[in-house]
Amino acid sequence: MTKSRRGIASLIIASLIWGTSFPAMKISVSGVGEFTYTWMRATFAIIMLLPYIFVKRREIDRGIMKAGFLSGLTYAMGIWLQGWGTKFTTASNSAFITGLYMVFVHLYVALMIKRYSPKLSLSLILAISGLYMLARPDLKFNVGDFLVLLSALFWAANILIIDRYSDKNPVILTFFEMIPSVLFILPDISTTGLPSLNLNQLMVLMYLGFACSNGATIFQIYGQRFIEPASASVIYLLEPVFAAIFSFALLGEIMKIHEIVGASLILLAMLVASTEKMIVKS
């Protein structure tokens, strides 16, 4: 399999796994506070990686620890701000504004790296149009929208940091990326004390930690080893498409015509981005 196919396949799998998080959260953890959600999900992720880290402990050095903590800070802030902001805005607004991380990545690539092309511009327009049709946000811009927009900046930074350190061991890097999120236990227990969760909530948080934090991040790091960040950001917008599909399969939520059109535009954007000559890293 070529580098581009390996990279694209890995990023699609990451997006698919992330897509399962939306119906999972809606089923069992919608009542969990954003602090609790952030640190408990990360804690389960770390616990599940400990055996591998013990076996590979000799491969751990300052470089991979630094990479993990840097990407982990953006990951933790992204999750926290998105969760906090969504309390004050609609789910559709949150979904659309979060997806704007792609615009920030493309701006960075165009202005700082100066590796941009008409195809990437077209993929950006198609993807944002598709996301808008999929989410149909009511953009009157309030404090919640602003917080989610800040989270989009951190998601964009996360993609760019992963791009820089994607040559590292994906599992070890993922382990250290989860650590900063655990620090959210401090404001959680200082304000509300230790959380009391039911078995369903704990099981879903375990799934989110194992699959959506560990599994998806490992595929993200590996995929970005081969794919340029601007193209990767387009592929990641498959996440809300997969979320809609899983919501239909698990919750019986029917996709409306505008959602089908939006999903189709995002798929088209991915196809356009995947034909870009600069998609694969040199």
Side-chain angles (χ1 to χ4, degrees):
M1 186 181 289
T2 64
K3 286 183 178 181
S4 62
R5 289 180 179 177
R6 274 185 286 169
I8 292 170
S10 295
L11 299 185
I12 289 175
I13 292 171
S15 302
L16 186 150
I17 297 172
W18 283 325
T20 67
S21 67
F22 290 92
M25 287 187 288
K26 191 167 184 178
I27 291 170
S28 292
V29 296
S30 56
V32 178
E34 64 269 13
F35 288 142
T36 302
Y37 168 76
T38 301
W39 75 261
M40 287 198 72
R41 172 174 168 172
T43 299
F44 282 126
I46 288 169
I47 291 171
M48 291 169 185
L49 290 179
L50 279 174
Y52 180 90
I53 297 301
F54 178 78
V55 172
K56 298 288 186 178
R57 61 190 181 279
R58 293 183 180 178
E59 295 184 18
I60 298 173
D61 56 27
R62 289 184 179 181
I64 201 165
M65 291 173 65
K66 174 186 174 183
F69 283 121
L70 283 174
S71 61
L73 286 173
T74 58
Y75 175 85
M77 292 300 294
I79 282 185
W80 174 57
L81 287 167
Q82 185 183 36
W84 186 17
T86 302
K87 283 189 171 184
F88 305 105
T89 189
T90 63
S92 59
N93 280 17
S94 179
F96 177 74
I97 296 171
T98 298
L100 295 180
Y101 67 78
M102 185 181 64
V103 177
F104 299 133
V105 172
H106 279 239
L107 283 173
Y108 179 87
V109 170
L111 298 177
M112 302 301 294
I113 303 178
K114 297 182 179 179
R115 285 174 56 85
Y116 210 62
S117 70
K119 276 192 177 180
L120 286 176
S121 298
L122 178 59
S123 70
L124 175 65
I125 294 169
L126 288 170
I128 292 299
S129 301
L131 182 63
Y132 183 85
M133 292 295 293
L134 194 62
R136 292 291 285 269
D138 180 19
L139 296 176
K140 296 179 181 177
F141 214 76
N142 53 37
V143 65
D145 295 333
F146 177 71
L147 291 170
V148 176
L149 184 63
L150 287 180
S151 81
L153 281 169
F154 281 102
W155 293 130
N158 180 263
I159 291 172
L160 295 170
I161 291 171
I162 292 295
D163 172 68
R164 180 176 178 181
Y165 295 108
S166 59
D167 60 324
K168 306 290 185 183
N169 182 307
V171 181
I172 298 176
L173 181 54
T174 297
F175 175 83
F176 285 103
E177 182 172 331
M178 295 301 118
I179 292 176
S181 297
V182 179
L183 297 177
F184 280 90
I185 190 175
L186 299 176
D188 192 19
I189 61 176
S190 65
T191 54
T192 60
L194 287 173
S196 177
L197 305 178
N198 60 45
L199 181 60
N200 283 342
Q201 290 171 327
L202 288 172
M203 293 297 290
V204 172
L205 284 169
M206 287 179 65
Y207 168 77
L208 291 171
F210 177 72
C212 301
S213 291
N214 287 345
T217 303
I218 289 168
F219 279 111
Q220 175 193 10
I221 295 167
Y222 180 76
Q224 284 196 228
R225 182 176 296 176
F226 308 108
I227 303 299
E228 291 286 352
S231 297
S233 68
V234 175
I235 297 172
Y236 290 144
L237 276 195
L238 289 175
E239 178 186 349
V241 177
F242 286 124
I245 293 171
F246 282 115
S247 294
F248 167 72
L250 298 175
L251 304 176
E253 296 182 0
I254 305 299
M255 290 184 70
K256 300 178 177 64
I257 294 297
H258 65 83
E259 292 174 326
I260 294 172
V261 172
S264 300
L265 287 173
I266 291 173
L267 288 171
L268 181 59
M270 189 201 74
L271 290 174
V272 171
S274 66
T275 62
E276 168 57 50
K277 291 181 180 179
M278 295 185 296
I279 187 174
V280 181
K281 292 181 180 178
S282 56

